[in-house]
Amino acid sequence: MGPCLPGAMEKNFSVIISLRKQILFHFFVVTFPFTQIKKYTFCFLLNLIFLCLVNVISVTTKGRLHSFDLPKAVCLEFSPKNTVLATWQPYAASKDDTAGIPNLQLYDVKTGTCLKSFIQKKMQNWCPSWSEDETLCARNVNNEVHFFENNNFNKIANKLHLKKISDFVLSPGPQPYKVAVYVPGSKGAPSFVRLYQYPNFDEPHAALANKSFFKADKVTMLWNKKATAVLVIASTDVDKTGASYYGEQTLHYMATNGESAVVQLPKNGPIYDVVWNSSSTEFCAVYGFMPAKATVFNLKCDPVFDFGTGPRNAAYYSPHGHILVLAGFGNLRGQMEVWDVKKYKLISKPVASDSTYLAWCPDGEHILTATCAPRLRVNNGYKIWHYTGSVLHKYDVPSNAELWQVSWQPFLDGIFPEKAITYQVVPSDVPSEEPKAATAYRPPALRNKPVTNSKLHEEEPPQNMKPQPGNEKPLSKTALKNQRKHEAKKAAKQEARSDKSPDTAPAPAPQSTPRNTVSQATSGDPETDKKIKNLKKKLKAIEQLKEQAAAGKQLEKNQPKCRMEDLLDVEDAVRQLCFFSP
């Protein structure tokens, strides 16, 4: 590690590198001292021999504890207190036994003995779910959830039976234990998620909460740390409106006190990520068509703070919940925003290009980003950042190697106390790399011409950075000049319109000639106004003829009385056509 990284952190960091020349998978299980409770696994390539061993190795003594001959092992997982190791191999039916060979094994880490073997055909949700104290363990079997107590897998302590149950999630934290179950809809019936408290499953009103919805082909259920509420992301495979190729998502809130609500997201589009704060009182959602929006909600599902829009698709709360990282990985450039969520103040905006992985250090101060295979097979490596934006350590994998997995050593909550947030960039000996400015493609005909500043999408600023009425920042000279031109053009248009319509209403006609009152309204179209003007002249001529006839004046020879009657009929038609009052 670099000199700016604490020495203790070197021991808490592990990296596994696999060579491209070596082809077959090998599983290497790293265990930490039992006093530190946590263990985790690594997977990397080893050699050409078609043999796979699962090795359990103590990092403290650097010695191998156990070795299991599992030639097709694909998945590994430890129980929360590291007493049980779960392994899964692809299911294969036996030639002699139609029931198949058990492919899910549970091993006692201390003794190395196999506690139990099960048949688990699907890789999805293969691993049993434990409570944090390992008092309770559960797994989904057909239409039931089987519960085991105290790691005694030879006896089913309880069952939760629901027709066509698809998924379940056991709550974190101590007793009383709770479980969220999902049942997909069928034959016009809606899908639903229910919350239960163990072991109250059979009573008529045993469910703590129930939420049903029609638009759900699959769901993701997220418990908060205190096990008081669940967030449900309901997804459909096809968006019938055609707005998204990736289907449609909705976000629902459920509480163990029976409350439920739909979280109203202000921007349409997919839901990229939803994460609870460790305080269990608020959560952050990243959603909407790019540039995506990020918003923090409270337990009433009301927005607390809006981070605006930006190139992001993931959110990461620090272990203490006082810092939030919004990042854009995958097909985005790796831009990160680090926020103080107590003051909702931006701390830094580092860029981790081509990153496929991000994880907070348990101390709540350092961030790990990595580019790993097989997601990306080039430019593999990792960086350790301080949340203020400085890179404390960097490692690039050689060109003939690949980085497959990297992870922090886990620790129990409370070992690292929360520290005050600093906005001063922490110094580092690692030379900073200025990200290359990405330039848009310009056709040859435009390459010698000035570049126009235009954006495909206008990004919305965060809630506390939007201009307030009366607090606008002074505009630049160019902006002022453009604003004046716009205002002058607008004033000219208004003046032209006012010229077409008279400033004052026409004076009332004398009582002796009430039929002279004519409306002076205009249509706003110059051609139409010209026609109306000509019609007014004709109407005026008709009025003069009527007055002459009424006075007994001798009409011209070309104006016989029959002609006068025809003109009266035309008068009424013209008045109706031109919206004049008689």
Side-chain angles (χ1 to χ4, degrees):
M1 298 293 177
C4 295
L5 195 64
M9 196 174 298
E10 290 188 37
K11 301 177 182 179
N12 300 334
F13 185 75
S14 300
V15 179
I16 298 297
I17 301 175
S18 63
L19 298 180
R20 288 181 180 174
K21 298 179 181 178
Q22 301 164 344
I23 296 182
L24 191 66
F25 283 93
H26 177 80
F27 290 90
F28 186 77
V29 181
V30 180
T31 68
F32 290 93
F34 291 99
T35 56
Q36 296 175 349
I37 303 302
K38 296 276 185 166
K39 304 176 185 178
Y40 59 100
T41 62
F42 294 98
C43 166
F44 64 102
L45 301 175
L46 207 140
N47 49 41
L48 290 172
I49 301 175
F50 288 89
L51 176 65
C52 186
L53 297 177
V54 175
N55 294 321
V56 182
I57 297 177
S58 172
V59 173
T60 304
T61 62
K62 299 180 181 180
R64 184 169 60 183
L65 301 178
H66 305 289
S67 180
F68 306 112
D69 184 8
L70 299 172
K72 297 181 180 180
V74 174
C75 300
L76 304 173
E77 192 69 39
F78 278 107
S79 62
K81 297 181 69 174
N82 309 313
T83 59
V84 179
L85 171 65
T87 66
W88 184 85
Q89 303 177 84
Y91 174 77
S94 174
K95 296 181 180 180
D96 301 331
D97 187 2
T98 57
I101 302 173
N103 60 327
L104 171 60
Q105 283 80 26
L106 303 177
Y107 292 94
D108 187 326
V109 174
K110 188 174 182 180
T111 62
T113 58
C114 183
L115 300 175
K116 189 69 176 179
S117 295
F118 297 100
I119 293 178
Q120 177 67 32
K121 295 183 179 180
K122 296 182 179 180
M123 184 176 180
Q124 182 181 5
N125 302 325
W126 71 271
C127 185
S129 179
W130 279 273
S131 61
E132 289 185 356
D133 57 2
E134 294 191 13
T135 302
L136 193 66
C137 179
R139 62 183 299 262
N140 187 6
V141 182
N142 297 328
N143 294 328
E144 296 179 334
V145 180
H146 292 179
F147 293 88
F148 306 91
E149 295 181 352
N150 300 317
N151 287 332
N152 181 9
F153 300 100
N154 295 318
K155 179 182 178 182
I156 300 176
N158 214 320
K159 294 182 180 181
L160 171 58
H161 179 80
L162 286 174
K163 189 176 181 181
K164 296 184 178 180
I165 184 170
S166 175
D167 194 9
F168 77 97
V169 179
L170 202 61
S171 68
Q175 300 184 23
Y177 307 116
K178 305 176 185 68
V179 59
V181 295
Y182 164 65
V183 176
S186 61
K187 296 181 179 179
S191 306
F192 63 86
V193 172
R194 290 178 183 172
L195 307 184
Y196 292 94
Q197 180 173 309
Y198 182 83
N200 304 324
F201 301 140
D202 299 328
E203 299 177 6
H205 303 284
L208 302 176
N210 180 77
K211 182 68 176 178
S212 59
F213 26 76
F214 284 94
K215 294 183 178 181
D217 295 326
K218 57 183 178 180
V219 302
T220 302
M221 296 173 285
L222 305 171
W223 281 98
N224 61 4
K225 191 174 181 179
K226 295 182 179 178
T228 57
V230 176
L231 290 172
V232 181
I233 305 174
S235 306
T236 58
D237 296 331
V238 178
D239 185 359
K240 295 182 179 180
T241 63
S244 175
Y245 176 79
Y246 300 99
E248 185 179 1
Q249 294 88 28
T250 54
L251 182 59
H252 305 264
Y253 168 85
M254 298 178 64
T256 54
N257 60 4
E259 296 179 353
S260 63
V262 178
V263 182
Q264 300 295 335
L265 302 177
K267 188 174 184 179
N268 295 329
I271 300 175
Y272 304 102
D273 197 11
V274 179
V275 59
W276 279 102
N277 192 323
S278 59
S279 64
S280 299
T281 58
E282 61 185 24
F283 58 92
C284 179
V286 183
Y287 57 93
F289 296 110
M290 286 294 169
K293 204 174 185 67
T295 308
V296 174
F297 297 89
N298 58 19
L299 296 182
K300 295 182 180 180
C301 299
D302 296 328
V304 177
F305 187 81
D306 182 8
F307 295 97
T309 59
R312 55 174 81 106
N313 55 14
Y316 305 88
Y317 274 108
S318 64
H320 303 98
H322 62 319
I323 300 176
L324 174 65
V325 175
L326 301 175
F329 296 143
N331 58 346
L332 300 178
R333 294 179 55 195
Q335 295 172 314
M336 297 188 292
E337 300 174 30
V338 184
W339 286 84
D340 178 354
V341 295
K342 292 183 178 180
K343 299 179 181 179
Y344 288 109
K345 184 177 179 181
L346 185 64
I347 302 174
S348 62
K349 294 184 69 174
V351 178
S353 301
D354 300 330
S355 295
T356 61
Y357 177 77
L358 185 147
W360 274 97
C361 179
D363 65 359
E365 291 191 71
H366 299 89
I367 300 171
L368 169 68
T369 62
T371 304
C372 300
R375 179 64 178 84
L376 284 177
R377 298 187 181 275
V378 294
N379 299 328
N380 284 184
Y382 65 88
K383 294 179 182 179
I384 298 178
W385 307 71
H386 192 267
Y387 65 81
T388 54
S390 57
V391 179
L392 303 182
H393 179 74
K394 177 184 176 182
Y395 177 77
D396 293 326
V397 176
S399 58
N400 63 339
E402 292 177 350
L403 178 67
W404 278 75
Q405 190 172 355
V406 57
S407 176
W408 294 104
Q409 177 181 349
F411 283 88
L412 289 176
D413 294 339
I415 291 182
F416 295 97
E418 179 181 342
K419 296 182 180 180
I421 296 177
T422 178
Y423 296 90
Q424 187 70 28
V425 178
V426 173
S428 172
D429 293 338
V430 179
S432 61
E433 296 180 359
E434 294 294 335
K436 297 180 180 179
T439 57
Y441 170 77
R442 290 177 60 81
L446 299 178
R447 289 175 184 175
N448 296 327
K449 296 183 179 180
V451 179
T452 57
N453 294 326
S454 60
K455 292 183 178 181
L456 183 62
H457 302 286
E458 289 295 333
E459 294 186 3
E460 179 184 336
Q463 177 178 320
N464 56 358
M465 295 184 184
K466 294 181 180 180
Q468 301 296 329
N471 296 329
E472 292 84 359
K473 295 182 179 180
L475 299 176
S476 62
K477 293 182 179 180
T478 305
L480 282 173
K481 186 177 180 180
N482 294 335
Q483 184 180 8
R484 289 169 184 169
K485 286 183 179 180
H486 180 72
E487 291 177 351
K489 191 175 181 181
K490 187 176 180 181
K493 288 183 179 179
Q494 292 179 352
E495 185 177 355
R497 291 179 181 176
S498 62
D499 290 342
K500 294 174 185 177
S501 59
D503 297 334
T504 58
Q511 295 182 358
S512 59
T513 58
R515 298 177 64 87
N516 290 344
T517 305
V518 179
S519 174
Q520 300 294 329
T522 60
S523 65
D525 186 2
E527 294 295 329
T528 304
D529 294 341
K530 187 176 180 180
K531 293 179 181 179
I532 293 174
K533 187 176 181 180
N534 293 332
L535 291 174
K536 287 181 183 179
K537 291 180 179 180
K538 295 181 181 180
L539 290 174
K540 188 175 182 181
I542 293 174
E543 291 290 340
Q544 291 177 355
L545 288 175
K546 290 193 296 181
E547 291 175 358
Q548 293 175 4
K553 184 178 179 180
Q554 185 68 29
L555 297 176
E556 298 292 335
K557 292 182 179 181
N558 59 351
Q559 296 175 332
K561 189 174 182 180
C562 60
R563 180 66 176 169
M564 183 65 194
E565 292 176 355
D566 293 337
L567 289 174
L568 291 176
D569 295 337
V570 173
E571 176 190 3
D572 293 336
V574 171
R575 291 183 185 277
Q576 293 178 4
L577 178 63
C578 301
F579 305 99
F580 292 111
S581 300

